[in-house]
Every structure is written in C-alpha cells, then in structure tokens.
Amino acid sequence: MSKFIGAIDQGTTSTRFLIFDEKGNLITWHQLEFEQHYPRPGWIEHDPQELLDVVTKCADEALRKFGMMGRDPNDIKAIGITNQRETALVWDRETGEPLYNAIVWGDTRTNNLVKRFKAKQFDVHSICGLPIHNYFSAVKWFWLMHKVKKVKEAVDNKRALFGTVDSWLIWNLTKKVHVTDVTNASRTMLMNLKTREWDKKLLEFFEIPEHVLPKIVSSSEHYGDVEDGPLQGLPVMGCLGDQQAAFVGQRCFSVGEAKNTYGTGAFLLLNVGPEPVLSKNGLLTTVAYQLGNEKPVYALEGSISVAGGAVTWLKDNLGIIKHSHDVDALASKVQDTGGVVFVTAFSGLFAPYWRDDARGTLVGLTQYTNKCHIARATLEAACYSTRAILDSMKEDGNVELKILKADGGMSNSDICMQTQANILGISVERPAMRETTALGAALVAGWAAGIWKSIEEIRNLQVEDATIFKPELDEKERNSLFYMWEEAIQRSMGWTDVLHDDDDD
C-alpha cells in the first residue's frame, strides 16, 4: 500500500498544500495567494486569521483533487509545515484571538529601535549567530509590547502567546500545542545556538518574558494531531523554516553542499556540519535541521532581502510586465544591461553588507536605456548579491563549492540561472521538480513517521533530471562585472540619512 505525506507551505505571498508519495514524487497540490497589508511606508503585515483560512482552503482542495485521482486520503500518514521565517505574531492564550496583525520579516518599522539596541553594544551575535537587525523577530515583539496596548496588557496578565508563523499554525491545527522548531527559533535573536534553548541574557536584553514563548522542539517529531477541518486526525510531524526546508529538499546533507532559493528574497545556505560556525563576514549562523534526538546540523546563511520581489515591483509598481514570468522574455531582447545596475535594496541591504540605510538604486541610466535593460538588470541583481554572499562563505567556512543547487520562482528564468553560473564561475543545478521547500517539510515529517529510516534513504530517493548551467565567462570578465556591482552598492548606501524614513520607534 502506498504511503503519502502532506506539506503545508505557508510563504510570504501565498500558501500551498502539497501531497508527496514515499518516493518523493509530487502527486497534487493547491495554491492560494493572500493579501499583503501596507499600512505605512516600510510596514508589511498579514492577517493571521487569513493565513489560517488559506491553509484550510488549500488542504481542502488538494485533498479533493487527491480523491479524484482515485487515492485514499487515509493513506496520508503525516503532515509537515514549512513557513516564512521571522514574521512575528501574538495572540491571546485563552481566546486564540490575534492581538495584532503579523509583522512580516521584511517590515522596517523597527529601524530606530535597532539603532538603540546596537548602541548598547551587547554581543548578541556570539550567542545567537545573528546581528541586531529589523529582519528578526525579537525587535518586532519588543515593538508590539511597547506600541500595542492590547499586547502589553496580555503580556502583563500572562495571557499573551508569541510565535512565528509555524507556532501560530501548529497551535491552531492542534488546538493549543505551543511549540516552534529549532530552525524557526534560531531566527528570533532569542535562541542560544549551542544549547538550542531560549537564552536568559538575550531575553533580558530584548525585554521578552519567557512565559510568552513556545517550547523549542526538533524539526522532526510528533507535535500533535489536527483537531478539526479537512486534515482532522493527521499527525503534525515535521516543521522547518522555509529556507531550511528547501535545504533539506535539495538534500544538502554533506558539509560543503549549498543551495540558493530565489523567492521573494533570496537565501543561500551552506552546510557547515554539527557545530555552529560564527561568521566574520556578515553571514548568519543558523540551524539547518534537527531530526528528532539526533545532533543538529548547522548552516551559514546569506540573505538577500529582495530578489523575486523586484520582479513583482516591475509588474505591480512600474507596469512594464503583466505577469512575473514575462520578465525573462523582456530581458532576452537585449544581450546585456547596457551598463545599468539595479541594487534592489527596497528595505536596506542584507548579507553580507547589513546596511539598513541603503535604498533601491538604479545606476548607469542613459537615453539608450529601455525597459528590457531594466528587466535584465533586475534578474542580474540577485546573481551579483549571491556572488557577494558566496565570497563571504568561502572565507568563513573555508569550503570550495563545486556546484550551487537552485530553486524558487526566479530559478525558472534561464537567463537568471545562466547569469548566475557566469558570475560565480561554477555550475548551477536546477532540479526538474521545483517544489523543494514543500518536499523538505514532507521529508522531515516522513522521517518522524518512519516512512524513511535514514538520511541515506532520503538522499537516494530517485528524482527527475536536473538542468545544469555552466559558466561561459572567464575570470577577468566575471570580476569586471562584479566590480561594477560593488560600485553600485556603495552608491545605494546612506540614502535614509538624506531622506529620513518615517520609522516608528
């Protein structure tokens, strides 16, 4: 009898429910987008109730399709969850009511708070592997406690529960199991990387009481069963932050293996093994995964705040393409960018620069420039940013990469992937089955359910052929193009000192 695993993939702009078989093949899926709320410049929010609703609708429709294929839903043995990371939620322990919208990872309202925390000169990085930045959950929760009366009152009365999106989903699916897995906890600025527990010094520094936080658990164990809805009775047995899920889905199980996910942002993870490696070059140290009681695996991560998000900006804000996938056709009409470089720092620069005073910058415009050049420069921006991160990884991890595994929506662009290979000087591998993030969640759930017994068994799952993009430029050409990018980066910095952002501190 065949066995199947379900996966909830709750991203930044859409939610999906996918069903995989025991060989890792995608059987069926359903996807729905949800609304983005922008109450003020730089603020990004989601409605927590809508996040739940779209999960239910996607699961319902995917199971309907599964049944129409002649499959039995009772053959689904477990579900895994993967989610947008760092996004901060708070809700009432008794009623389950959200006390504020979810503050999304790319939100910049805490810029001034970050400056105040940095001024205290406390070494956060050595404990949690992260710099003090508006990207991470701790400063968002601090803002909520000090700016939203309902939240402060609930915290004071010990009725508030804090969590990232995984915690919110598991709490509602299981009816009050309050947990988060190590990969999501490692993105809050509150977890000690070595002990994988909430750190007393960090909690004191960010003024977060421990009673509001979920229990930290592994990425692969039985958290609880779904209490009602289309998934009723199914055990929730896997949980990974979205980038770690793609890392597992790409099966980067050996030291030195790396993947880059080109989604709304772009995220490059390098396997550094069972001990954390603290970066000296602007990278993040994070937990890659932990299977049950086994030793965790750590990764160095480089985060790019805007990748595919810039393509969406071309579509929604400039109107030069009708659909995101049109960018490839537009970019292919020119051989190069005509000297145009687009630094897509809409909310500052992430790794390896970490400059929240930078803003999006188009340089090199002339009367010759047209929308095709800008489209191509948009694709190339993610490639140059990846090169900057990979250069830092080589210095920190002392690992020479031979190939980069790519996934995410932007990886569908042949121009983008070929440019990436050219800029890096190594081959780029794009799998035929692109749903690696959801697959990662399914794999850790399946491991906990006993469908796969070992990492080797998962590694040896048969997958469809991948497309390999090989570099076509010599080193001199690569370095010349990257020098132009680095000069453009310098021109993007310091802009918020000229145009003061309306931050809320």
Side-chain angles (χ1 to χ4, degrees):
M1 183 177 69
S2 296
K3 297 176 183 177
F4 301 90
I5 310 99
I8 296 169
D9 182 355
Q10 206 294 297
T12 305
T13 58
S14 69
T15 297
R16 292 177 292 176
F17 188 83
L18 307 92
I19 301 172
F20 295 89
D21 68 14
E22 57 197 323
K23 296 180 180 178
N25 298 310
L26 177 61
I27 303 302
T28 190
W29 57 280
H30 192 69
Q31 177 175 0
L32 289 171
E33 294 187 348
F34 52 84
E35 187 175 356
Q36 309 292 305
H37 300 270
Y38 305 102
R40 291 170 65 174
W43 293 30
I44 315 171
E45 297 177 358
H46 293 155
D47 177 350
Q49 193 57 52
E50 187 180 10
L51 297 184
L52 285 176
D53 291 345
V54 291
V55 166
T56 300
K57 290 174 182 175
C58 287
D60 200 26
E61 184 61 19
L63 288 171
R64 187 188 67 82
K65 294 176 183 176
F66 190 66
M68 290 181 66
M69 298 168 74
R71 312 279 191 180
D72 184 352
N74 291 320
D75 291 335
I76 299 175
K77 300 305 178 185
I79 58 172
I81 293 173
T82 180
N83 58 284
Q84 52 168 313
R85 306 171 303 170
E86 298 95 19
T87 295
L89 297 96
V90 56
W91 63 96
D92 187 290
R93 181 190 301 270
E94 301 300 327
T95 67
E97 174 195 358
L99 300 178
Y100 194 80
N101 275 348
I103 301 180
V104 179
W105 56 271
D107 184 285
T108 62
R109 76 186 68 190
T110 57
N111 277 355
N112 287 335
L113 274 178
V114 166
K115 290 175 185 175
R116 280 164 44 190
F117 279 119
K118 283 181 176 178
K120 296 181 180 182
Q121 297 187 329
F122 177 66
D123 186 8
V124 167
H125 178 258
S126 66
I127 303 173
C128 68
L130 309 173
I132 299 175
H133 196 273
N134 61 35
Y135 182 22
F136 306 110
S137 314
V139 287
K140 303 179 198 298
W141 284 324
F142 182 95
W143 185 93
L144 284 164
M145 287 192 300
H146 289 80
K147 293 292 182 179
V148 182
K149 185 179 178 182
K150 280 201 302 185
V151 173
K152 185 180 187 309
E153 290 175 350
V155 171
D156 290 343
N157 294 325
K158 294 192 174 181
R159 287 186 56 152
L161 293 179
F162 288 8
T164 42
V165 171
D166 59 311
S167 297
W168 171 245
L169 294 181
I170 293 172
W171 193 87
N172 280 278
L173 289 170
T174 62
K175 302 305 178 191
K176 302 192 177 182
V177 174
H178 191 215
V179 296
T180 186
D181 96 292
V182 285
T183 67
N184 280 289
S186 73
R187 312 297 296 187
T188 61
M189 285 196 296
L190 299 175
M191 190 189 85
N192 185 304
L193 266 182
K194 293 181 179 178
T195 65
R196 298 178 306 284
E197 296 175 348
W198 301 123
D199 187 87
K200 303 293 185 188
K201 292 180 181 178
L202 293 176
L203 294 177
E204 183 179 343
F205 181 69
F206 289 110
E207 300 177 26
I208 308 288
E210 190 167 358
H211 64 77
V212 303
L213 294 171
K215 178 185 177 183
I216 300 174
V217 293
S218 81
S219 312
S220 183
E221 61 181 83
H222 186 190
Y223 312 123
D225 296 340
V226 181
E227 288 292 316
D228 56 27
L231 301 174
Q232 184 174 6
L234 283 174
V236 184
M237 303 189 82
C239 182
L240 290 164
D242 53 7
Q243 303 313 318
Q244 286 93 333
F247 183 87
V248 171
Q250 290 273 28
R251 285 167 281 188
C252 297
F253 297 136
S254 298
V255 173
E257 291 188 318
K259 72 87 198 176
N260 199 17
T261 297
Y262 303 79
T264 304
F267 304 88
L268 200 159
L269 271 72
L270 170 72
N271 187 324
V272 296
E275 297 294 331
V277 174
L278 289 178
S279 173
K280 298 177 182 178
N281 294 285
L283 301 177
L284 311 177
T285 307
T286 195
V287 180
Y289 61 88
Q290 183 185 13
L291 300 179
N293 293 323
E294 294 192 2
K295 283 187 176 181
V297 171
Y298 292 89
L300 281 173
E301 175 175 334
S303 309
I304 302 165
S305 60
V306 177
V311 176
T312 303
W313 181 79
L314 294 183
K315 173 175 68 75
D316 294 342
N317 295 50
L318 296 192
I320 66 174
I321 52 175
K322 288 185 177 180
H323 305 284
S324 294
H325 56 76
D326 294 338
V327 69
D328 219 37
L330 193 62
S332 68
K333 293 181 180 179
V334 290
Q335 292 299 307
D336 54 45
T337 67
V340 173
V341 178
F342 186 9
V343 180
T344 57
F346 295 152
S347 56
L349 288 166
F350 283 10
Y353 311 103
W354 296 109
R355 292 287 296 264
D356 54 21
D357 63 342
R359 285 297 177 265
T361 307
L362 268 168
V363 297
L365 299 175
T366 66
Q367 288 179 311
Y368 172 72
T369 305
N370 60 42
K371 61 184 180 182
C372 303
H373 296 111
I374 293 173
R376 195 171 188 106
T378 302
L379 294 176
E380 290 190 359
C383 303
Y384 288 122
S385 298
T386 299
R387 160 76 185 264
I389 290 169
L390 205 55
D391 285 353
S392 295
M393 283 185 172
K394 287 177 183 176
E395 291 185 41
D396 280 327
N398 196 25
V399 174
E400 194 67 31
L401 288 182
K402 303 297 183 186
I403 193 165
L404 178 68
K405 298 178 181 181
D407 55 62
M410 217 171 173
S411 71
N412 293 325
S413 165
D414 287 356
I415 290 176
C416 185
M417 293 297 94
Q418 184 58 58
T419 301
Q420 188 68 88
N422 291 345
I423 296 300
L424 296 181
I426 61 173
S427 295
V428 174
E429 177 183 304
R430 181 179 66 193
M433 202 286 286
R434 313 287 169 81
E435 302 296 345
T436 52
T437 302
L439 176 60
L443 291 175
V444 292
W447 186 90
I451 292 174
W452 302 292
K453 310 295 185 188
S454 67
I455 285 289
E456 280 308 308
E457 196 175 339
I458 293 174
R459 188 196 294 276
N460 293 331
L461 291 175
Q462 294 299 312
V463 293
E464 301 169 60
D465 291 338
T467 304
I468 307 292
F469 296 86
K470 296 183 178 180
E472 297 174 349
L473 299 181
D474 61 32
E475 188 173 2
K476 183 179 179 181
E477 290 173 302
R478 281 197 301 276
N479 291 339
S480 176
L481 289 170
F482 189 63
Y483 173 77
M484 191 163 65
W485 167 258
E486 291 282 71
E487 289 297 306
I489 284 285
Q490 294 302 314
R491 286 156 176 78
S492 76
M493 294 177 178
W495 190 245
T496 60
D497 296 334
V498 179
L499 179 67
H500 297 290
D501 277 355
D502 184 22
D503 292 335
D504 190 322
D505 59 4

